[in-house]
Amino acid sequence: MRVGKTVEKLANVHRCGHFHLEREGNRMTTPVFEEFDPASDCDCPGCVHRRLILPYAPTSPAGRHPAAPRAVILAAAASTAIVSGHSAPALAAPHVPARPGVPAGDEPDTPQGDKAPLHGPGGRPAPAKAPTTTRADIVKRAKEWVAAKVPYSMTGYWSDGYRQDCSGFVSMAWNLPGNEWTGSLDQYGVRIAKDDLQPGDILLFHNPADPEDGSHVVIFGGWTDYTHTYYIAYEETRPHARRQSTPYAYWSHSGQYVAYRYKGVAGSTAGAEPDTAKPAAPVDTPFPGAAYFGPGANNKYVTQLGRMLVGRGAGHFYTSGPGPRWSDADRRATQAFQQAQGWLGRHADGLPGPQTWALLVTGQGRDAAAGAAGSPAPSSPGVPGYPGRAVFRPGANNQYVTQLGKRLVKKGFGKYYTTGPGPRWGEADRRGVEAFQRAQGWRGGAADGYPGPETWRRLFS
């Protein structure tokens, strides 16, 4: 049955790859292909989703994304298909997978694109640029991407034509004529030593066996402290370009990063990074006191200690951080540094004293030996062996409870005893231990009233 000859639009021509149909009378048109540039203000579900999950770069003067792919849509042509009066459903926009967020910790999740030419508006090749630049300009261009929060992408290109991944970021900052990758950036630089690093140089790790397994590159912005432990890194990583203090050489694969200087760099470092020379640990920083270190400690001095230790060869003890909360990594790193000075026994217990601190903040003394492990548990001469946690629990009745109680009394923490102390564990024992732990500056679970190895060591040392 003929419905009529008036042309009824079932849907407007969709600008983002949706199916488009026309119906004329009782005939459904046959789909054909037509190309066009998608507009940036489309409000279809697919584009709304894409804008929420994968924000694009600013549009070009023509109103289109500088690297937007040319979309293919279906348009109408003659057909003899018979249709009813019901509207034909439009095909849904292709599913756009969500990008993962910031990876755990600071380890980048940055697979990268291949070597490619520069891209101009609409994905067209753009003219090559001159490969000469200055350090100040390198850092300035890097800061522009950071300020714009250029989103990470190994297939997208920013409005300047550079790919939005780690190697595209360096290609942009170095003003290279094309988009390089971690396997080719080294040809534009000369290898340098750590002590020669200056703003605008790069730290590069390329894994030839599996380029997407750890390969990464960052721009060096300057040291954050005189120990050359941390530096300002400019990098492109998920979710967007960033600038942050980073341990040398990087959070992971640190020993595999290589420093390079761009061959075409010229000029001075003036204005490159004015705040990178500020020392994080000035030489006149006084020792804060033993109470700031050890189990339960959580303060800025623990972070400062850890960073100094990393700079003195003890960084392999840390799988993350250093941070403000005291950990066994801090103790073992401190002990390794103390042992490197030839200290033994209680002088190498893993807890910093005034002399350990002075050597670290002034850069004096010997660095921790490479691969030094530190002892798995603290120990000191003359301290009886720690009997284990099981002997200090409600219901326990043994000689070690008596030994502990007498030591608490001797140390001035016996006010909770009305009798004894004796071999049966009681609330007086727990409260005495808790008071002693709090006197060390410990809080929370570290001051629960039940002696661990460190409580025992300090009581009897």
Side-chain angles (χ1 to χ4, degrees), residues 300-327:
K300 65 179 182 179
Y301 297 109
V302 176
T303 302
Q304 185 174 331
L305 172 74
R307 290 180 176 180
M308 292 190 294
L309 289 167
V310 169
R312 301 301 298 273
H316 60 282
F317 292 103
Y318 295 92
T319 57
S320 63
R325 185 177 297 279
W326 180 268
S327 67

Side-chain angles (χ1 to χ4, degrees), residues 1-10 22-29 79 81-85:
M1 181 178 68
R2 297 179 63 85
V3 176
K5 294 185 177 181
T6 59
V7 176
E8 180 182 354
K9 295 272 188 174
L10 294 180
E22 282 188 352
R23 187 175 66 195
E24 182 176 358
N26 62 344
R27 295 186 302 164
M28 182 67 71
T29 59
S79 175
I82 303 299
V83 298
S84 67

Side-chain angles (χ1 to χ4, degrees), residues 226 279-288 301 304 308 357-363:
Y226 77 99
V283 295
D284 59 350
T285 301
F287 178 59
Y301 297 109
Q304 185 174 331
M308 292 190 294
W357 186 264
L359 291 177
L360 287 170
V361 298
T362 59

Side-chain angles (χ1 to χ4, degrees), residues 386-402 404 422-431 433-434 437 445-453 455-456:
Y386 175 63
R389 298 180 186 274
V391 301
F392 304 111
R393 286 293 182 265
N397 190 340
N398 55 72
Q399 61 177 331
Y400 299 108
V401 176
T402 303
L404 173 76
R424 183 175 295 278
W425 178 267
E427 182 64 12
D429 299 295
R430 192 200 65 77
R431 295 183 67 185
V433 172
E434 181 183 27
Q437 291 169 333
D448 60 0
Y450 296 97
T455 301
W456 184 267

